[in-house]
Amino acid sequence: MQRPELHEHIITTAGNLFYANGYNSTGINEIIAKTGIAKATLYSHFKSKEEICIAYLTHRHNTFISELKSFTSKRKKGKNQLLAIFDFLREMYREEDFYGCWALKTLGELSSKEKKLLAVIQKQKKELLLHLGEVVSENVHNISKAETEKMSGGLYLLYNSAITESHLHKNDWPIYMAKSIAPSLFINAELA
């Protein structure tokens, strides 16, 4: 396996373990065993478990944002694009091995000392919020910055609640509920 492929293999394998079992419950030795590499090889790619987790969170987030943007852009302008995040979440939920939000799952395990991981998660959540702001701006006419922030913030909170509660209840009713509540954010809006 070439170095870039091996690097990706480590991130994917460790990421699957972090997502399924938790960050704290996954040890370096388990990552080494699952990847089938030597400890020295792992440490030639990553200096620590934290560094592996940052690479995993970054990869997962970048893939998510890219796929979400693609999914949203294929929807009809207006209400359909504004609510697309819930349809996208429903598709994620239907995938095998859905364990909720990888970032929030990791966040729940962090101690106050793990500031690097916290900063990565905060940055990624801010990027999602900014993306939702762009979607609102593109689909609602004559809207102020404050109204954009209110609508995108509402979508963001509904999405995070839906992803967490769907995992908790092992059911997609929270996604449907969030999607049914979301239009109340746009009641007086002039949609595209």
Side-chain angles (χ1 to χ4, degrees):
M1 200 177 297
Q2 297 293 325
R3 186 167 175 81
E5 293 169 338
L6 183 55
H7 193 80
E8 285 299 314
H9 176 61
I10 295 168
I11 293 169
T12 300
T13 304
N16 290 340
L17 291 168
F18 293 149
Y19 188 56
N21 303 331
Y23 175 68
N24 291 331
S25 296
T26 302
I28 288 292
N29 290 335
E30 186 177 9
I31 294 169
I32 290 167
K34 289 282 186 184
T35 54
I37 60 173
K39 188 177 268 191
T41 303
L42 177 77
Y43 284 115
S44 74
H45 286 266
F46 298 98
K47 295 176 185 169
S48 65
K49 182 172 121 175
E50 178 185 62
E51 198 174 285
I52 298 169
C53 190
I54 289 170
Y56 152 67
L57 290 170
T58 301
H59 173 74
R60 190 82 191 241
H61 174 73
N62 291 343
T63 301
F64 166 76
I65 286 291
S66 174
E67 290 176 355
L68 176 62
K69 286 179 179 180
S70 175
F71 185 90
T72 303
S73 69
K74 293 175 185 167
R75 296 287 195 235
K76 185 178 174 187
K77 282 278 194 192
K79 185 177 175 181
N80 291 323
Q81 281 193 9
L82 291 165
L83 300 178
I85 192 166
F86 302 106
D87 298 328
F88 186 74
L89 176 54
R90 192 176 58 246
E91 287 190 13
M92 285 175 38
Y93 173 81
R94 290 178 178 161
E95 291 176 4
E96 189 176 332
D97 303 326
F98 175 81
Y99 300 108
C101 176
W102 52 94
L104 294 178
K105 187 171 170 121
T106 304
L107 176 66
E109 297 187 59
L110 299 182
S111 73
S112 59
K113 297 176 187 174
E114 295 170 296
K115 295 183 188 311
K116 285 182 184 177
L117 286 170
L118 175 62
V120 168
I121 293 168
Q122 287 173 328
K123 178 180 179 273
Q124 292 175 355
K125 288 297 185 177
K126 185 175 183 177
E127 286 175 13
L128 173 58
L129 186 56
L130 290 172
H131 170 66
L132 293 173
E134 291 169 6
V135 173
V136 169
S137 294
E138 293 167 4
N139 289 281
V140 181
H141 298 297
N142 302 321
I143 186 170
S144 70
K145 184 177 180 183
E147 290 170 318
T148 300
E149 289 175 356
K150 181 179 176 183
M151 288 181 197
S152 59
L155 288 171
Y156 172 83
L157 292 174
L158 286 168
Y159 167 80
N160 278 304
S161 175
I163 194 170
T164 301
E165 295 300 312
S166 291
H167 172 56
L168 173 66
H169 294 286
K170 305 292 185 233
N171 197 298
D172 60 358
W173 70 260
I175 300 167
Y176 287 100
M177 183 66 69
K179 184 177 178 180
S180 72
I181 293 169
S184 66
L185 298 168
F186 324 121
I187 284 178
N188 297 318
E190 185 182 328
L191 300 180

